Amino acid sequence: MKIMKFGGTSVGKPERMHQVAQLITKTDEPKIVVLSALSGTTNSLVGISSHLAQSDRGGAKQAIDKLEAHYRDFVLQLATTEEGRKKADAIVTEHFEFLNIILRISFSEALNKDILAQGELLSTKLFSVFLEEQNIPHVFLLALDFMTIDANEEPQLGSIKVKLSQILKQHKDAKLFVTQGYICRNSRGEVDNLKRGGSDYTASLIAAAIKATVCEIWTDIDGMHNNDPRVVDKTLPIKQISFEEAAELAYFGAKILHPTCIWPAQQTNVPVKLLNTMQPEADGTVITEDAGSMGVKAVAAKDGIIAIKIKSSRMLLAYGFLRKIFEVFEKYRTSIDMVTTSEVAVSLTIDNDTFLKEIVKELEQFGSVEVDTNQTIISVVGNEIAQTEHVLQQLFTAIADIPVRMVSYGGSHHNITILVQSDYKIKTLQLLNKGLFGL
Ligand code: ADP
Ligand code: ASP
Ligand code: MG
């Protein structure tokens, strides 16, 4: 059994959905198809929620109507029969009735999650109607019946495995399943989600749960590129990378993959393939245990980073000092990305500023604290990069004019990380493209 996940742009137009139906019926291998919401939908739903959070019902109503018009238009071109059109229209009606009802309910975080879930429910239900019209046998699965997260918002792989296999057992002869990415239930039994871009995570969790032959992530680009194609002109797809390299790139900003979607596939050794829906014949990228080659593979950037420096003359490398600092971050459940130390100071970075004030206040008992916002982590990733000759020289020659705030090297064999002010991000990525890849 294999997993095929299609992202927002892959299902964002009626003709693309038609194409997805072709792609999933090309082979007889049993498969679970995971769909995102149509492109733009989750953003619109986020907008509706924020109108409601600010008690702006008028704004919310306007956004709901605009989105509904988009879906009415979509189903006109998706369905090919009168009956199919009616069914698809009824689905749109059902979900927009729900959104209109919530206009009258007082806003809460649980309601917010219900709103955000509408996108994946709509896309999979509409796709299912289209498959039915085309006489393509399939089983519609509700991800809310098996995809769960615990009180720490971590997916419960063990429980997902048990629940999903029970469901699949009820459909022994079925060859094609369709389900939603992104959405899940939390420990309170409420509708929740795996965070933005989380459909990749759903696909990889399902792949791990059923030990799939492969987890295919179909998107709008021909694989993982060596640099961010949104800001660098000339980038090239990478044929093969390891789970470690991919995880590092995803975590440090390569948007093609959800930051934490690699571990389930890695844990169960299921290969992940990144493929292009618009160009299905392209090789794409294969992610397995095997990195394929040595040396620098790619560069990625993660914005919204905050650097914190704690300076103490009393201190610093006295034993127990770092533990005390880390305990503050642990207390506020804020994870640290980079750490560098000197004899008198420690600098570290976080990407979540929810408890920044509280953290700084507690850190001040250990010394003076400086905070720099608007920082970007630039990560250079490659197999055995630390042992690759001249890498550091090439890297620093390439970015000689860029002021670098922090450097982290040697933490792993496949990563060198630098921190720059966000204003320098694009320039740094461009310079690295030339200096490291000759592009
Ligand atoms: P989907 O909607 O299919 O999940 P995403 O928009 O989440 O697609 O991810 C695909 C996009 O990721 C590409 O269109 C590309 O602009 C962006 N991207 C950022 N970094 C990279 C990279 N290193 N390689 C490929 N794509 C990247
Ligand atoms: N629809 C969700 C989002 O836009 C999940 C996804 O597309 O992966 O974030
Ligand atoms: Mg995505």
Side-chain angles (χ1 to χ4, degrees), residues 1-3 203-216 243 262-273 287-289:
M1 178 102 84
K2 76 168 172 175
I3 313 301
S204 155
L205 287 163
I206 295 179
I210 63 160
K211 247 259 29 13
T213 50
V214 58
C215 176
E216 294 180 351
F243 288 124
I262 289 296
W263 74 260
Q266 179 173 20
Q267 212 175 66
T268 45
N269 209 7
V270 176
V272 177
K273 278 190 184 170
I287 308 170
T288 60
E289 239 167 18

Side-chain angles (χ1 to χ4, degrees), residues 393-411:
Q393 187 194 353
Q394 280 176 354
L395 191 149
F396 288 110
T397 306
I399 58 166
D401 297 335
I402 305 283
V404 175
R405 167 76 172 76
M406 281 168 71
V407 179
S408 172
Y409 175 74

Side-chain angles (χ1 to χ4, degrees), residues 5-10 36 200 218-221 223-230 253-257 299:
K5 176 260 168 178
F6 293 87
T9 36
S10 303
S36 292
D200 301 331
W218 290 80
T219 181
D220 59 357
I221 189 165
M224 176 74 81
H225 278 219
N226 70 301
N227 205 328
D228 192 329
R230 293 167 300 178
K255 194 205 167 208
I256 187 169
L257 282 175
V299 178

Side-chain angles (χ1 to χ4, degrees), residues 98-256:
F98 170 78
L99 286 174
N100 278 298
I101 286 169
I102 54 125
L103 281 175
R104 287 176 249 134
I105 304 175
S106 60
F107 187 76
S108 66
E109 193 43 39
L111 196 64
N112 173 38
K113 302 285 174 60
D114 272 323
I115 295 170
L116 297 180
Q118 300 309 304
E120 272 68 13
L121 291 169
L122 273 161
S123 65
T124 47
K125 287 186 186 179
L126 294 176
F127 186 60
S128 175
V129 166
F130 178 68
L131 292 180
E132 209 179 296
E133 254 190 346
Q134 303 300 306
N135 296 316
I136 300 171
H138 66 284
V139 176
F140 180 89
L141 300 181
L142 195 57
L144 302 175
D145 290 340
F146 60 86
M147 192 56 66
T148 52
I149 52 174
D150 64 19
N152 293 323
E153 303 191 334
E154 293 296 334
Q156 298 174 299
L157 189 52
S159 149
I160 294 167
K161 213 173 184 167
V162 172
K163 286 188 175 140
L164 185 56
S165 64
Q166 277 167 359
I167 294 170
L168 296 180
K169 255 193 217 144
Q170 293 163 18
H171 305 279
K172 273 210 176 79
D173 299 325
K175 290 238 152 122
L176 179 62
F177 297 87
V178 175
T179 194
Q180 307 77 39
Y182 181 60
I183 63 173
C184 61
R185 272 192 201 283
N186 62 27
S187 58
R188 295 179 296 278
E190 300 156 348
V191 172
D192 210 318
N193 62 63
L194 301 174
K195 312 258 161 65
R196 294 305 306 272
S199 297
D200 301 331
Y201 206 8
T202 304
S204 155
L205 287 163
I206 295 179
I210 63 160
K211 247 259 29 13
T213 50
V214 58
C215 176
E216 294 180 351
I217 309 278
W218 290 80
T219 181
D220 59 357
I221 189 165
D222 54 349
M224 176 74 81
H225 278 219
N226 70 301
N227 205 328
D228 192 329
R230 293 167 300 178
V231 294
V232 175
D233 276 344
K234 209 167 165 208
T235 62
L236 293 172
I238 307 164
K239 280 224 156 61
Q240 189 178 350
I241 56 173
S242 67
F243 288 124
E244 266 99 7
E245 290 170 316
E248 207 86 66
L249 286 166
Y251 187 72
F252 286 120
K255 194 205 167 208
I256 187 169

Side-chain angles (χ1 to χ4, degrees), residues 276-383:
N276 189 348
T277 311
M278 276 52 94
Q279 206 189 324
E281 66 294 341
D283 290 341
T285 300
V286 180
I287 308 170
T288 60
E289 239 167 18
D290 182 5
S293 61
M294 308 270 281
V296 180
K297 292 254 179 66
V299 178
K302 183 175 169 184
D303 294 322
I305 303 294
I306 300 145
I308 303 173
K309 182 159 80 183
I310 306 112
K311 207 168 157 191
S312 161
S313 46
R314 280 177 283 147
M315 98 88 182
L316 186 73
L317 295 177
Y319 59 82
F321 188 81
L322 286 176
R323 178 176 54 76
K324 283 184 206 149
I325 288 178
F326 289 151
E327 272 171 359
V328 174
F329 290 86
E330 192 183 340
K331 179 173 166 191
Y332 292 101
R333 295 179 37 84
T334 299
S335 65
I336 297 168
D337 285 328
M338 285 177 84
V339 186
T340 54
T341 61
S342 82
E343 182 55 29
V344 291
V346 180
S347 275
L348 38 80
T349 69
I350 57 173
D351 63 1
N352 176 355
D353 65 358
T354 315
F355 297 108
L356 183 59
K357 250 198 214 145
E358 291 84 345
I359 288 172
V360 169
K361 193 152 181 251
E362 294 212 20
L363 290 175
E364 275 168 347
Q365 60 183 308
F366 306 122
S368 67
V369 179
E370 269 173 45
V371 175
D372 291 321
T373 52
N374 289 326
Q375 305 289 307
T376 293
I377 285 180
I378 310 248
S379 195
V380 179
V381 172
N383 183 27

